Amino acid sequence: MATTDINTAETARDVRTIDGVVDVIASTAPEIRTGLPGRRVTAEDENPSGETQMAADVFADDLLCERIGALDGVGEYASEERPESVDVGTGRLSVAVDPLDGSSNLKPNNTMGTIFAVYEAPLPAHGRDLVAAGYVLYGPVMTMVVARNGTVDEYVIHDDATRELVREDVTIPDEGSVYGFGGRVPDWTDDFEAFAREVEQDPSRKLRYGGSMIGDVNQILTYGGIFAYPTLESAPEGKLRVQFEGYPIGYVIETAGGATSDGTKSLLDVDKDELHARTPMYVGNTDLVAMLEAALD
Ligand code: F6P
């Protein structure tokens, strides 16, 4: 679950690069969004995790690779959409991106996100190598959440690519009121199902699951509660990817005062050495994540 050992050190040399990554993600988001209507069709390939790629996934990945790769100080770029990381320069920072998280929501026109993680290490890196992480949420309003230097800020991104700070030092509300759990219920483990039933017992909590992790996690950041994509009977490692989803969302949630877990420990302490490795994910209020860990024990 949560630990306080979040890496907040930015050397003077890295500051410009991290600023650059955040700027590229923010300034590319309106273009990604504008490019969506014509790209709600499947691409010819699958991504490295065996999922159907949408044309929009490939489009967003190409844009981000080109622009992040051009930044001074970035050595490697990796995304969920390509099998290997790409050497883009000589810098010591690596950037991992999920260009369109939740892209299966494109057809029904539901929320999606772009996730980014900046690591101070070659890829695949470790959660404790993170120096910044965040995401853009393509909802009715385009917003961006950035965790860096021990704080989380939220911005609105306007269509002209300007960014407006709307919430400073965001923290998870104490009384969590929403929960969202992925995976088919018959595929949940008995322990997780028992936990889910316990969470449901509290009449102040409501089910909110949208099928796009960024949409679901942003609800947790806004209303408090717990999001999980758990271990499944058919998939002990769950569905979500460590480098592109687990670590960056773990970093955002823990920086915002919440807790995260893979079932036994903080997501930031997960040890996996494959670029596309998966992990079960549980993120939210500290009391709920503690309750989850006790239930799975
Ligand atoms: O990254 C994959 C993803 O789209 C996440 O954004 C989301 O949480 C999950 O898959 C949804 O999976 P499912 O379709 O099994 O609910």
Side-chain angles (χ1 to χ4, degrees):
M1 58 180 286
T3 65
T4 49
D5 184 24
I6 291 169
N7 185 354
T8 58
E10 280 182 20
T11 65
R13 184 169 167 248
D14 297 333
V15 171
R16 212 184 51 234
T17 306
I18 300 170
D19 285 345
V21 173
V22 172
D23 286 347
V24 165
I25 299 285
S27 63
T28 307
E31 259 175 273
I32 293 177
R33 185 177 172 116
T34 307
L36 296 179
R39 295 187 172 82
R40 299 166 75 188
V41 291
T42 48
E44 284 180 6
D45 294 328
E46 289 185 336
N47 74 14
S49 302
E51 292 161 352
T52 306
Q53 269 181 327
M54 303 294 290
D57 289 312
V58 179
F59 170 67
D61 181 39
D62 286 345
L63 275 182
L64 292 172
C65 183
E66 188 188 316
R67 293 174 188 180
I68 290 171
L71 292 172
D72 209 25
V74 178
E76 274 183 88
Y77 170 90
S79 94
E80 242 188 57
E81 306 306 328
R82 25 186 106 218
E84 311 286 345
S85 60
V86 187
D87 286 331
V88 289
T90 55
R92 69 194 191 98
L93 297 182
S94 305
V95 180
V97 163
D98 183 353
L100 260 192
D101 174 69
S103 57
S104 65
N105 270 1
L106 194 51
K107 280 188 183 167
N109 190 23
N110 226 313
T111 60
M112 286 167 297
T114 293
I115 309 173
F116 71 95
V118 185
Y119 297 99
E120 201 175 21
L123 298 171
H126 193 273
R128 297 293 171 191
D129 296 322
L130 275 166
V131 289
Y135 56 82
V136 171
L137 174 62
Y138 305 99
V141 177
M142 210 168 8
T143 54
M144 182 176 193
V145 164
V146 179
R148 185 177 174 186
N149 281 332
T151 58
V152 177
D153 292 328
E154 185 182 34
Y155 302 86
V156 165
I157 302 178
H158 297 291
D159 290 343
D160 63 0
T162 53
R163 214 175 347 142
E164 181 187 345
L165 182 64
V166 289
R167 282 205 294 160
E168 236 172 325
D169 207 1
V170 177
T171 53
I172 296 194
D174 288 339
E175 301 297 324
S177 63
V178 296
Y179 59 93
F181 304 144
R184 294 183 62 248
V185 178
D187 209 6
W188 288 352
T189 62
D190 292 345
D191 286 345
F192 184 75
E193 185 163 357
F195 166 74
R197 300 296 161 243
E198 201 181 337
V199 169
E200 288 169 347
Q201 290 310 308
D202 186 329
S204 69
R205 295 196 192 112
K206 285 188 273 190
L207 169 66
R208 292 277 177 89
Y209 184 77
S212 141
M213 185 189 58
I214 288 309
D216 291 327
V217 163
N218 202 58
Q219 298 199 76
I220 302 300
L221 200 57
T222 309
Y223 295 129
I226 183 162
F227 165 80
Y229 207 107
T231 289
L232 301 176
E233 295 287 2
S234 63
E237 298 305 312
K239 178 178 185 188
L240 304 178
R241 265 59 49 127
V242 178
Q243 299 283 318
F244 308 103
E245 294 167 310
Y247 285 154
I249 296 309
Y251 190 82
V252 169
I253 293 292
E254 291 194 19
T255 306
T260 74
S261 179
D262 70 343
T264 58
K265 58 185 176 303
S266 162
L267 284 173
L268 298 178
D269 288 325
V270 166
D271 282 315
K272 293 275 171 76
D273 51 15
E274 278 175 58
L275 189 62
H276 293 279
R278 300 174 195 260
T279 180
M281 269 184 74
Y282 311 91
V283 307
N285 287 89
T286 51
D287 57 338
L288 288 168
V289 174
M291 186 171 133
L292 172 276
E293 287 188 343
L296 299 190
D297 197 12

